[in-house]
Each structure stands twice: as structure tokens, then as C-alpha cells.
Amino acid sequence: MILLRYGPVGAEKPGMLDGNGNLRDLSNHVRDITGAVLDDAQLATLRAIDPENLPLVEGTPRLGPWVGSIGKFMCIGLNYSDNAEESGMPIPKHPILFFKANSAIVGPNDDVVMPRGSTQTDWELELGVVIGKAAKYVDAKDALDHVAGYCIVNDVSERHFQNNLTGQWTKGKSCDTYGPTGPWLVTRDEVPDPQNLSMHLDVNGTRMQTGNTGTMIFSVAEIIEHLSHLFTLHPGDVISTGTPPGVAMGMKPAPVYLKKGDLMELHIDGLGTQRQKVDQDA
């Protein structure tokens, strides 16, 4: 099942894709796609709906962030060994955790707007994991039972803010629009193995990142186990699980960062595609 939100910013409606990829309106069944509808029972109720009986949404409306209210926006750093190598960082012994401000969240095709003074804005294609059932002290073998589904996240990063402004990575990760999510939520029954998903990212039509979730240092299940032993994961929480190699920061002999007018295109097999044009605040 594929769930999404569509419409103008701040007025998005819940939707579902039918078997032919057509957008159907879910407003008569749920008020919004939030953590409250992501547990197994609620998803089973939605899954029982025949999409052909839902109103067809005409045209190509804007797609919003797939969830109406993300709880925690958690990110795992350096979770691909080759990305750690290109970044000049050691392989971590435990998942590296940082948080991204929820105010960074935008739709999958909304513009990414670089803040004033940004000269080192970078791309990061990542698998997003969406919690559907609260997780506390969960073992890895049971961890995926707590997942509602998966999505694409672009963990856009301002490297100067991140590395040179003193403090945590959050400074460079949380600029407005630096958290595109979507285009939709694909429920876990549609993703039999989250550790076997191919992915790629292009900038202006040139392939920059190519990877597969099978090369993660810490699997989705291991990440959930680790985090759930630190604090409770709640329905609607999102974990962005790290990026494969090919980010601008790792380029040799010198990085080539994003600039106004660039176009990013991100794809993960089975999860759809994002497209963001880059702009900059005056």
C-alpha cells in the first residue's frame, strides 16, 4: 500500500495510489496521514479499502511530505563504509545519531532553498524508516515489526555550517527545506527486504550517487534496536539511515557543491523518485 499527502502547503489531503499509479483521495476515511494511522490495525483498515471506490484526483497536484506530523526526525551518520572512507572518517562502532529540525521538512519535489551565506550545500540520498508501533528495548529480530513503512529522504547538508560553526551536525542539517521526504510512504509489506534496495542520485542529469542498502554498516533492524534502548520510538518517528558514497564533500580533487538552478533527482527502487530544484535566499 502506498500512502501520500497532496495539495498546497499547509492544506495537504491524505491520499493513496491505486494499482495503476493513479492518485485517490482518502479524506472520507482519515483526516490526515499521521502516526495515529500507522499501526498495524489502522493500516489493515486502510488496506481493506478498494482504491477504485475512492475519488480520483485529477491533474498533478503538489505532493507534500508523506506524513502530517513527524515526531522525531532522526538521522544516522556514516552508515555506509565507502561513504565514511570518502569523508575521511573512521568506521563507527555504534550508529552515529543526530537530529534534524522538523522545520526542515518539505515535500519531495519542493525547492531546496539555500540559506544566506551558504556555499557548501550538499546532497545525501537516504532510506527513510517510518515507525508504526512504539518501540522500547526492542531486539533486532523483532525490530521490523515496529516499522510502518519506508520512504526516500534527502538529508541535504550545509557542510560549512555542519563542520565549522562549532557544535553538533544539526546546524548544517536543519536549514529550512533541507529535509525533503516522500514522494510517499510504502508500507513494509511491500518491501520484503529493506537491506536490498538499489538507489541513485543525479545532479543536473549526471549520476553522483549509486548504492544499495545491503552495504549499510548497521541494518535497519540494528538501528532500531540501538535507538530503542536509548529512548522510545513512537509512531510517526522517522529514521534516515545514512547515505552511500558520491556526496559533494568527498569529491577529488575538490568538492563541487550545489548552486542556484541545479536539479537533484533521487530514486530508490520500489519507493519512487524525488526531484528538487535548488534556489537561494537573497
Side-chain angles (χ1 to χ4, degrees):
M1 180 168 59
I2 297 176
L3 301 175
L4 54 87
R5 299 170 71 248
Y6 69 96
V9 176
E12 292 93 344
K13 295 181 178 181
M16 174 189 292
L17 289 190
D18 65 23
N20 295 315
N22 298 312
L23 176 54
R24 302 283 179 161
D25 181 64
L26 264 178
S27 298
N28 291 332
H29 297 270
V30 293
R31 295 181 61 183
D32 202 352
I33 306 298
T34 66
V37 302
L38 295 180
D39 63 64
D40 286 349
Q42 293 290 332
L43 290 178
T45 299
L46 295 179
R47 196 174 289 111
I49 299 170
D50 183 353
E52 299 298 324
N53 293 330
L54 297 172
L56 180 66
V57 178
E58 301 289 350
T60 55
R62 168 189 173 268
L63 298 181
W66 66 262
V67 67
S69 179
I70 289 179
K72 296 186 286 293
F73 197 172
M74 299 160 282
C75 301
I76 306 300
L78 301 176
N79 196 30
Y80 289 73
S81 57
D82 33 15
N83 174 241
E85 180 180 353
E86 73 174 353
S87 302
M89 305 286 283
I91 300 298
K93 295 181 180 179
H94 308 283
I96 295 175
L97 172 67
F98 62 91
F99 286 82
K100 204 173 181 82
N102 285 19
S103 54
I105 299 167
V106 291
N109 304 319
D110 291 341
D111 287 353
V112 166
V113 183
M114 299 185 297
R116 294 178 183 176
S118 171
T119 59
Q120 297 183 7
T121 289
D122 205 346
W123 54 84
E124 290 194 23
L125 166 64
E126 307 201 1
L127 171 67
V129 178
V130 183
I131 300 299
K133 181 172 66 173
K136 178 72 169 178
Y137 300 126
V138 171
D139 292 331
K141 63 182 178 63
D142 301 316
L144 297 187
D145 294 339
H146 294 261
V147 173
Y150 303 91
C151 65
I152 302 173
V153 173
N154 190 355
D155 177 22
V156 186
S157 307
E158 214 301 334
R159 301 301 189 187
H160 178 75
F161 295 2
Q162 176 185 349
N163 298 321
N164 300 107
L165 293 190
T166 308
Q168 302 296 319
W169 290 358
T170 298
K171 290 183 178 181
K173 300 285 189 171
S174 295
C175 307
D176 293 349
T177 74
Y178 276 31
T181 64
W184 35 67
L185 170 71
V186 180
T187 53
R188 74 171 188 269
D189 58 301
E190 303 276 352
V191 184
D193 184 2
Q195 303 309 145
N196 187 26
L197 299 175
S198 295
M199 56 175 66
H200 62 258
L201 178 146
D202 297 345
V203 178
N204 300 327
T206 298
R207 184 63 42 87
M208 305 305 295
Q209 287 188 281
T210 301
N212 187 288
T213 55
T215 64
M216 284 182 180
I217 298 169
F218 304 103
S219 69
V220 171
E222 290 168 332
I223 292 168
I224 292 173
E225 177 184 60
H226 181 75
L227 297 182
S228 74
H229 281 70
L230 303 175
F231 46 76
T232 303
L233 303 175
H234 294 285
D237 287 353
V238 173
I239 308 168
S240 198
T241 56
T243 196
V247 297
M249 185 173 65
M251 286 182 177
K252 307 298 182 191
V256 179
Y257 291 109
L258 292 166
K259 63 184 184 302
K260 183 176 179 178
D262 284 347
L263 176 67
M264 293 180 283
E265 298 178 275
L266 302 79
H267 178 82
I268 298 180
D269 285 356
L271 302 186
T273 300
Q274 295 185 356
R275 294 179 180 86
Q276 298 113 27
K277 186 177 179 180
V278 179
D279 203 348
Q280 185 155 27
D281 277 338

